[in-house]
Amino acid sequence: MKRLEVKKMSLSLKSIRDCLLQENLLKEFIVAEKWQLTLPDSLDNRLVKDISYDSRTVTSDTLFFCKGLNFKEEYLEKAIQSGLELYISETPYDVPATLGIIVTDIRKAMAVLSMAFYDYPQNKLKLIAFTGTKGKTTAAYFTKYILDHTTNNKVAMLSTMNSTLDGKNYFKSQLTTPESLDLYRMMAEAVKNEMSHFIMEVSSQAYKINRVYGLFFDVGIFLNITPDHISPIEHPTFDDYFYCKRQLIAHSKTVIINHESDYFSLLKEMATLKQVPMIVYGTEKNEAVDYSYQTIPGDSLSFTIRSAKDPLNINGNYRLLLGGDFNKGNALSAMIASSLVGATQKDCQKGIQEATVPGRMELLTNNNNAKVYVDYAHNYDSLKNLLAYVKEEHPTGRLIVVIGSTGNKAISRRKDFSKVLSELGDVAILTTDDPADEDPITICKQIEEHITGDVKIRTVLDRAEAIAEALRISQPEDAVVLAGKGADQFQKIGGIDTPYPGDYQIAESIIWHSKK
């Protein structure tokens, strides 16, 4: 997408000092190699006209954030050689800068200063945030489709798959939740584009490393929690992962919680202790559930919403384009969130019926009539739910699964995938899925060594060839599942996003060419 230029903001050094003092983040200033607690009068009104954490994009008027585990002093030195005069860091550096601002926490400082620099754009938008181990992207898309009807397409969205700041043009997301500086720049761009609502996914990492420090959401939705992202470079334990996830509850003005989520009682207790108004949804009809959903017999895509009091006026029948009972729960969470910020029941019905999600439950038919499902399922719960649904839809055939696992993160998923494949799969074709700096052969072997039972295992590292192999061996009663990549059009290899056509496009092309 062609990016719109956000009007350049500015912030005085005095304002920066005051902001840091208010948050108790300021340690000292370094001026002319001297440490001091006050700014010289000559610098009080000096304006910062840009902020950056990329040493390659600085000028004399940039405030440069020295952040990240991989930060090196040489980055700062090169930036100063390019004209940089102002830097902010947790560590004093012996460099010829006009001013060094030393803080206790660089990421918190970057968050609060980014807010101020972009004139607090979050206050000019209705903010809706989803967290959970699975379903965030689908629920976010449901919400956008609903609110597009409410606002006449004035809804911005940041999602794992695609993001939009003008409600129409989409671009590839690099992180589930962007760095704070990028987040507020994007919010400011959405405000410039006259957006009224801003939907985003909030990852556990966003709280762990303070990307959303100090940010409060109008509506926060907690979908579910299961072990994921457990690795030395993400969360060392499930307890750490869960703690970071549930911070969304403490930073929402109203929270929506899934009654079927593991540890629901703890989530409810946290909302109560923090005095956050709470709406609970689920499949059960009981006193703890405010809104429940049930599938309409004879139509697996239709469901009914019921509430004893229905304060949001959303009781009624709805129909999805996406299969799977789990998507009905995602849809209900989106309807509740949308209703809280202005949507009507009619908006909900239209939006839910129209909603599609790139790479989620996309369906093709092979030339021999075997069904081919493309889905982004990339952790234990999402893969298990997907395969269970497909197995139920195709009880007499084999389940052929093409799957890999990402490198450099979420290492626990490899054993998780093995468990699901052992329980539900008939044929597993192991392949490449964003190996990053790891050897994809090693990743596949780590999945294979934990698979038990009668699952037939093949390893085909080239993902396009793995998809072709799955389609080739399929029989009319079988179902082929292409899991993990969804609509993603890149493979992360080393530090490079390598272009990749996408699972759906590859499968569709193979099917089309085999007809000739």
Side-chain angles (χ1 to χ4, degrees), residues 44-103:
D44 251 7
N45 294 317
R46 175 163 176 174
L47 294 181
V48 167
K49 297 181 180 179
D50 198 8
I51 55 177
S52 177
Y53 56 84
D54 185 342
S55 60
R56 299 165 297 181
T57 60
V58 298
T59 69
S60 60
D61 294 322
T62 301
L63 177 62
F64 175 60
F65 292 88
C66 305
K67 67 96 184 165
L69 293 174
N70 297 320
F71 181 79
K72 299 177 182 177
E73 186 173 352
E74 65 188 70
Y75 300 155
L76 177 58
E77 293 170 346
K78 289 180 180 179
I80 290 173
Q81 292 170 10
S82 299
L84 179 75
E85 297 181 9
L86 312 170
Y87 77 90
I88 182 168
S89 171
E90 291 177 7
T91 303
Y93 290 104
D94 184 15
V95 292
T98 301
L99 178 69
I101 305 173
I102 312 305
V103 294

Side-chain angles (χ1 to χ4, degrees), residues 21 64 72 79 106 118 127 160 203 205 211 229 248 259 268 321 329 332 355 364 386 442 467:
L21 283 172
F64 175 60
K72 299 177 182 177
I106 188 63
Y118 286 108
L127 300 186
T160 304
S203 65
Q205 284 290 300
R211 290 178 188 157
H229 293 287
L248 180 70
H259 185 259
K268 181 180 178 180
L321 288 178
L332 176 53
L364 288 163
L386 171 64
T442 301
I467 293 170

